[in-house]
Amino acid sequence: MSRVIGIDLGTTNSCVAILENGQPAVIPNSGGYKTTPSMFAITQDGKRLVGHLAKRQAVTNSKATVHGAKRLIGRRFDSPEVEHSRELCPYDIVEGPNEDARIEIGGKNFTCPEISAFILREMRRVAEEYLGEPVQEAVITVPAYFNDAQRQCTKDAGKIAGLEVLRIINEPTAAAMAYGFNRTGEEKIAIYDLGGGTFDISILEMSDGVIEVLATAGNTFLGGEDFDRRIVSHLVDAFREAEGIDLTQDAMALQRLKDAAEKAKCDLSQRETVEINLPFIASDDEGPRHLSMEVPRETLERLVDDIVRGTLKTVDQCLQDANVGVGDIDQVILVGGQSRMPLVQQAVADHFGKRPHKGVNPDEVVAIGAAIQGEALVSEDDNMLLLDVTPLSLGIATFGGHFAKLIERNTTVPVCKSHIFTTTRDNQSAVKIRVLQGEGDIAQDNDLLGEFVLGGIRPARKGEPEIDVSFDIDANGIVSVAARDTATGKEQSITVNATGTLSDDEIQNIIEEQELYEVALKE
Ligand code: ADP
Ligand code: MG
C-alpha cells in the first residue's frame, strides 16, 4: 500500500512529513534540509530549478525566479493582493484569460497552480527518495483564510503534480492536530501562525482526540516579507542619505538588499545587533560604493512594531468570534518562521498573559499535522476527529447590490444550506445568481466566486416562482452550488468556476507538457 504524505505548501518554505510506525516525522531533502524554499526559476539556458537551487541563483536571476506565488494563487489579476505582490516580486505578473494572475518568466507564461505544482512535485520527490517507493496520496495545507478559488487552485496544483489530494486542511488546524496527537484531556488552544506571507490565528477546542475549530481569522497581506521590506526601506533611505544614490532602481542591488535584510532579521532573533555589509552595491562617476551598516535589534523592533500590534487586533477579533476570553485559552502555540522573533513572542505572551507552548517546531508542525490527518483518512481511524470551519461567509448578491449571507463564517464544515429565491419582475424567465464569499455588507466588497443564470422559469407574477438554491461547502472548504425550480422540479447543475481554476483538459495539457519537459531535461 502506498503511503500518504502531508505537505505544508508554504508561501516561503514547504515541508513534507509522514507517519512512520505511528510516529510523525518530517522528511529531509537530499541536502539534509527539513524545509524547501517555495521557489521556482528558469535559468538563462532554459533549465528549470526548484527549491534551494532556485533560491541560490535568485540574486543574479531575479526576473526569472518566482517566490511567493502563493500570494497570487486563485486571485483575480486586478485584486489588491496582486497589486501588493507586484511591489514584492521582480518577476512579471500578467493577466490570464480567466482574469486570473499568471506569472511570466523565461519567456513563458505559467498559471499559479502550475508554479505550485513544481513545488509539490519536488516535495513528492523528496518523499519518494526517502521512502524508496512511489507516493500518490497527499494531504495539503492552506492558510485558514483561503477562499474557495484559492483552495480549488491548490487542489489543481496537486493534480498537476501527480498527487491525489485526499484533503485540503487549514494550516492552523493541522498545527493543532500535531499538538493534540496522543494527548488527552480538554483544552482551548490558540494557534498563532506568522509565516513569510500570511498571518493566521485560530482558536480551537480539543477534548480527547476531537478537535473543534471555534473560530479562525487572518491577514493575507501580512508576513515576514513585510518585515524584510521595512528593513530594505530603512537601508535604502540611509544609503540615499549618505551616498545620494537610489538603490531601488537596480534590480540586482534590490535583490541583494532583500537577502541581506532577511538574513539580518533572522540573526537578530538570536543576537542584539548585526552588521550588514554589501560591497559594490552601487557605483557612479566617482567609483564603486559599499553599504555597511549596523542594525541593532531595537531598530528592527521599532521598524515593525505596528505590524506586530496589527496581528494582535486580528487575535482579538478571532477570540470574539469564538466567544472566548483571552483568559480561557490554555495553550498558545506559535507557528511559522517569523514567530521566532523575540518581539513577536513577547507581544503574544503579554497579550495572552502566558508563555507560548515550547514543545513544537514552528517550521514543521503544519506538515506533521497534515501527515497525521492523511493517515487518519486512509486508516479510517476515528480516534481523531477534525471539525473544521469555513473561514469566510458565503452568500449571494441581492437586489440593490446587497450581500445576503447564507452560511456565516466559522460554521463547521461540511455544511449544506438552501434558500428559496424568487423573481423581481413579472414573467421573468431567468434569474442570475452571483455567489460571493467575504464579510462585507455590500456585494462588491466580497470575492465573486462565480455567477450563473437559471433559465426556463415558467411565466408568473413577480415573487411567485420558487427557486431553491443550495450551497455546499465540503470538508476541503470548497464550494459548490445547485439550483432547482420547485415548480418544474428541474435541477440545474451548476459549477462555480473560481478565478484561476483549471479545467480537466487544461490540467491534462499541463501535465503532458511537464512530462515532455522532463524528457528534454535528461538529454
Ligand atoms: P511560510 O509559511 O509563509 O512558508 P515560514 O513559516 O517558512 O513561511 O516562515 C518564513 C518566514 O519566517 C520568513 O519571512 C523568514 O524570514 C522568517 N524567519 C525564519 N526564521 C526566522 C528567525 N529565526 N527569526 C525571524 N524570522 C525568521
Ligand atoms: Mg506556513
Side-chain angles (χ1 to χ4, degrees):
M1 191 190 80
S2 110
R3 314 275 295 269
V4 194
I5 51 174
I7 303 177
D8 170 9
L9 177 63
T11 310
T12 325
N13 298 297
S14 295
C15 183
V16 57
I18 193 159
L19 232 66
E20 270 192 312
N21 307 323
Q23 281 308 311
V26 166
I27 304 178
N29 62 24
S30 50
Y33 297 102
K34 289 191 167 177
T35 61
T36 298
S38 305
M39 291 174 99
F40 169 71
I42 300 185
T43 62
Q44 292 284 311
D45 52 0
K47 250 197 230 125
R48 296 179 176 196
L49 305 174
V50 184
H52 290 278
L53 294 177
K55 184 168 186 170
R56 241 168 254 153
Q57 51 87 67
V59 168
T60 52
N61 188 28
S62 63
K63 283 264 325 164
T65 303
V66 181
H67 62 88
K70 190 174 165 184
R71 284 183 189 259
L72 305 172
I73 199 165
R75 297 274 188 202
R76 292 171 61 87
F77 178 74
D78 60 8
S79 67
E81 289 85 357
V82 171
E83 199 48 50
H84 179 65
S85 295
R86 209 186 288 285
E87 294 169 27
L88 299 170
C89 305
Y91 51 84
D92 288 329
I93 303 170
V94 297
E95 183 165 8
N98 196 3
E99 294 176 358
D100 54 325
R102 296 196 172 184
I103 289 165
E104 207 166 87
I105 61 166
K108 217 184 134 12
N109 186 288
F110 294 94
T111 64
C112 291
E114 229 173 318
I115 301 281
S116 291
F118 286 124
I119 293 147
L120 289 174
R121 190 187 280 261
E122 174 69 9
M123 302 321 286
R124 177 181 163 206
R125 200 190 57 75
V126 165
E128 288 180 340
E129 210 170 270
Y130 175 85
L131 295 168
E133 62 182 40
V135 170
Q136 223 110 53
E137 295 174 318
V139 168
I140 302 176
T141 62
V142 294
Y145 227 53
F146 258 22
N147 69 16
D148 177 65
Q150 293 163 304
R151 286 166 198 267
Q152 286 201 37
C153 285
T154 304
K155 238 185 147 184
D156 287 350
K159 268 192 226 162
I160 297 170
L163 290 165
E164 189 194 333
V165 182
L166 298 184
R167 187 69 59 89
I168 297 283
I169 64 171
N170 293 330
E171 289 161 11
T173 313
M177 290 209 95
Y179 168 77
F181 189 63
N182 288 343
R183 201 179 282 264
T184 54
E186 225 169 274
E187 278 182 302
K188 280 197 178 58
I189 63 171
I191 309 271
Y192 177 104
D193 180 354
L194 190 55
T198 50
F199 167 64
D200 275 300
I201 171 81
S202 294
I203 311 293
L204 305 97
E205 189 164 58
M206 326 218 322
S207 64
D208 297 330
V210 178
I211 300 178
E212 184 175 3
V213 181
L214 300 179
T216 182
N219 186 341
T220 47
F221 277 115
L222 211 157
E225 281 184 26
D226 300 297
F227 290 57
D228 303 348
R229 274 210 303 172
R230 293 282 171 91
I231 304 176
V232 169
S233 305
H234 176 70
L235 297 175
V236 165
D237 290 349
F239 195 77
R240 193 188 292 114
E241 186 116 317
E243 306 282 347
I245 296 176
D246 181 8
L247 292 175
T248 59
Q249 299 308 310
D250 177 350
M252 173 120 62
L254 209 52
Q255 189 60 43
R256 284 179 70 196
L257 280 170
K258 272 187 200 159
D259 279 2
E262 190 191 356
K263 188 168 181 308
K265 175 190 75 176
C266 294
D267 289 348
L268 283 172
S269 292
Q270 264 85 52
R271 291 162 42 192
E272 287 298 328
T273 183
V274 294
E275 199 168 291
I276 297 181
N277 276 308
L278 293 167
F280 302 98
I281 192 79
S283 67
D284 63 7
D285 303 343
E286 291 160 34
R289 304 295 174 89
H290 316 294
L291 184 149
S292 173
M293 234 173 111
E294 175 117 347
V295 182
R297 188 185 280 177
E298 294 95 73
T299 304
L300 171 62
E301 292 183 344
R302 181 172 48 76
L303 289 171
V304 301
D305 190 66
D306 63 308
I307 305 183
V308 178
R309 306 279 144 228
T311 65
L312 300 177
K313 281 206 197 100
T314 312
V315 168
D316 285 337
Q317 183 208 320
C318 192
L319 283 166
Q320 210 172 355
D321 282 351
N323 215 353
V324 164
V326 82
D328 300 331
I329 300 294
D330 300 299
Q331 263 322 332
V332 182
I333 295 161
L334 294 178
V335 181
Q338 191 58 53
S339 74
R340 292 184 189 275
M341 182 179 185
L343 176 72
V344 172
Q345 297 189 353
Q346 193 57 50
V348 173
D350 290 348
H351 198 72
F352 283 96
K354 62 168 54 75
R355 276 165 54 93
H357 178 69
K358 286 281 170 206
V360 299
N361 182 325
D363 299 320
E364 301 172 3
V365 61
V366 171
I368 285 175
I372 293 169
Q373 173 70 6
E375 190 63 29
L377 285 172
V378 289
S379 63
E380 287 167 17
D381 170 9
D382 44 17
N383 282 331
M384 201 82 162
L385 183 64
L386 182 59
L387 298 173
D388 216 330
V389 297
T390 176
L392 297 164
S393 300
L394 182 72
I396 61 155
T398 52
F399 194 64
H402 297 290
F403 177 39
K405 287 182 192 167
L406 297 171
I407 298 178
E408 291 282 340
R409 73 163 185 269
N410 293 321
T411 302
T412 303
V413 292
V415 57
C416 176
K417 276 205 182 144
S418 61
H419 199 86
I420 304 286
F421 294 96
T422 189
T423 51
T424 58
R425 280 179 292 108
D426 288 343
N427 297 326
Q428 189 176 330
S429 65
V431 289
K432 186 175 194 176
I433 309 270
R434 306 182 72 221
V435 184
L436 304 168
Q437 206 169 27
E439 306 313 318
D441 292 329
I442 304 169
Q444 66 178 29
D445 289 347
N446 300 286
D447 292 330
L448 177 66
L449 295 186
E451 51 191 3
F452 61 87
V453 172
L454 180 68
I457 299 172
R458 282 204 297 233
R461 278 210 253 154
K462 71 174 177 189
E464 277 182 4
E466 290 191 346
I467 298 139
D468 187 358
V469 183
S470 68
F471 296 79
D472 257 291
I473 304 179
D474 71 7
N476 300 309
I478 290 176
V479 177
S480 61
V481 181
R484 194 169 58 93
D485 184 345
T486 56
T488 60
K490 207 176 75 183
E491 279 250 7
Q492 198 108 336
S493 140
I494 290 126
T495 44
V496 177
N497 264 325
T499 309
T501 52
L502 302 166
S503 68
D504 287 346
D505 283 350
E506 282 173 302
I507 290 178
Q508 200 49 44
N509 286 343
I510 292 171
I511 292 173
E512 280 163 20
E513 206 224 293
Q514 287 192 358
E515 279 167 0
L516 269 183
Y517 186 81
E518 281 197 326
V519 175
L521 244 187
K522 288 185 189 123
E523 279 174 359

